[in-house]
Amino acid sequence: MSTVIDGKAYAETLRARIAESAAELKLKHDFVPGLAVVLVGEDPASQVYVRSKARQTVEVGMQSFEHRLPADTDEDDLVDLIGQLNRDPAVNGILVQLPLPKQVDSERIINMIDVQKDVDGFHVENTGRLSIGADSLVPCTPAGCLMLLKHYVGDLTGQNAVVIGRSNIVGKPVSMLLLREHCTVTIAHSRTRDLPSVCRQADIVVAAVGAPEMVKGDWIKPGATVIDVGINRITDESGNKVLVGDVEYDAAQKVAGAITPVPGGVGPMTIACLLRNTVIAACRQQGVDVPDSIG
Ligand code: GUN
């Protein structure tokens, strides 16, 4: 039996520390960090995420600004809104929920966000800084994966890490973070030859493909640490709608040393890391030190 990596509990303690740091900033420096979230269209999953982000922002004592725009929004209107948010001193972090509708050039929008307010860490400058090992705002899901790994595994030096998935949101940035921790990193993807045997070499597996239970239990090396980033809604054999990850959990947890469940693993860490990035961005903009409790 493996250790269950409890991301829900870890995220709760992180949010408590963020609330403490927000209170400290108000008391010592008289400012309240603010996060603006922009949602274009009515994608149900995105609506759920945006609602949770706004609720948790307020719960930790920060300001939340929500902008909901119709699905047929013009790219130029979105550009105008980003410009306004960039100029607004009460807004320290800007997140544009992805995916954006087809008529909008996502890359143009992301790169319009003031790099200091890019709490998603998707701006090309933050991406570049991460890849050269410089200080940057780090994408939230990858940052959450790293926190859990360091908490449950400790020093990652020399570990063989296999990241399955090469997205800009998770696969590539998590690979950069693992490299920074001195792992030997393999990025596997849909064209990788003999993925099961690549995976069997891994001390750490990060599955971020968005394919329900694609990673089988017998692909996991005994004792390995498994971080499952997938959140897939499927209908099970009894006709119930359930959430599953990218890893076949029941089989994998019999072999792994430690594994994240779905739900309750990586998922809750993403918003907690977004709130943390907002505090960090606000402190940098105000020219004050980031409180030790989240540093
Ligand atoms: N859509 C899915 N994940 C994310 C994320 O981390 N940030 C944004 N902005 N959109 C997403």
Side-chain angles (χ1 to χ4, degrees):
M1 277 296 254
S2 55
T3 301
V4 178
I5 298 179
D6 190 345
K8 188 163 176 269
Y10 192 93
E12 261 166 40
T13 63
L14 180 55
R15 284 199 305 273
R17 286 189 276 135
I18 292 164
E20 245 174 68
S21 63
E24 183 184 325
L25 292 171
K26 173 85 184 106
L27 194 70
K28 282 198 192 156
H29 303 288
D30 198 28
F31 74 88
V32 178
L35 171 65
V37 176
V38 179
L39 173 63
V40 185
E42 270 127 44
D43 175 69
S46 294
Q47 285 181 326
V48 172
Y49 289 134
V50 164
R51 219 173 298 131
S52 302
K53 284 167 188 168
R55 179 175 47 79
Q56 293 187 32
T57 303
V58 172
E59 276 171 8
V60 297
M62 304 201 297
Q63 273 191 286
S64 168
F65 306 95
E66 253 182 275
H67 294 268
R68 290 168 182 264
L69 305 176
D72 61 357
T73 296
D74 226 41
E75 186 172 309
D76 288 340
D77 290 338
L78 198 49
V79 165
D80 286 347
L81 174 60
I82 302 296
Q84 276 173 41
L85 298 173
N86 281 345
R87 290 187 295 275
D88 185 343
V91 172
N92 303 110
I94 302 169
L95 178 142
V96 178
Q97 185 66 30
L98 300 175
L100 285 168
K102 282 192 220 55
Q103 76 276 14
V104 177
D105 177 351
S106 305
E107 208 176 303
R108 178 178 177 216
I109 297 300
I110 288 167
N111 290 319
M112 262 215 66
I113 296 173
D114 179 339
V115 71
Q116 303 285 343
K117 296 190 179 187
D118 170 37
V119 283
D120 251 333
F122 295 162
H123 189 290
V124 70
E125 187 176 325
N126 277 320
T127 308
R129 292 180 69 82
L130 177 64
S131 74
I132 62 166
D135 224 10
S136 65
L137 286 164
V138 175
C140 306
T141 303
C145 293
L146 242 287
M147 275 184 196
L148 292 177
L149 277 169
K150 287 174 82 171
H151 184 72
Y152 279 85
V153 178
D155 185 8
L156 306 180
T157 303
Q159 299 237 350
N160 280 334
V162 172
V163 176
I164 312 173
R166 53 175 156 177
S167 71
N168 292 335
I169 294 182
V170 184
K172 284 180 200 153
V174 85
S175 303
M176 290 301 149
L177 290 174
L178 289 163
L179 197 55
R180 203 158 82 176
E181 296 301 322
H182 314 293
C183 291
T184 304
V185 183
T186 303
I187 307 176
H189 47 77
S190 54
R191 312 275 174 91
T192 295
R193 264 189 244 138
D194 197 2
L195 182 57
S197 69
V198 171
C199 210
R200 284 185 196 112
Q201 307 298 314
D203 303 308
I204 294 169
V205 177
V206 179
V209 263
E213 300 180 321
M214 189 195 90
V215 177
K216 304 301 174 199
D218 67 359
W219 297 11
I220 305 299
K221 178 163 110 171
T225 305
V226 179
I227 303 291
D228 190 350
V229 181
I231 302 178
N232 308 289
R233 283 174 182 79
I234 62 157
T235 306
D236 68 9
E237 310 89 66
S238 327
N240 300 315
K241 289 206 182 330
V242 289
L243 278 187
V244 296
D246 290 347
V247 179
E248 195 183 38
Y249 183 84
D250 289 345
Q253 62 88 30
K254 293 194 176 92
V255 215
I259 183 167
T260 57
V262 176
V266 174
M269 293 299 292
T270 299
I271 298 183
C273 288
L274 171 69
L275 303 176
R276 180 175 180 273
N277 272 356
T278 305
V279 174
I280 293 170
C283 290
R284 287 181 185 161
Q285 287 157 41
Q286 296 283 338
V288 304
D289 288 339
V290 176
D292 287 340
S293 53
I294 62 151

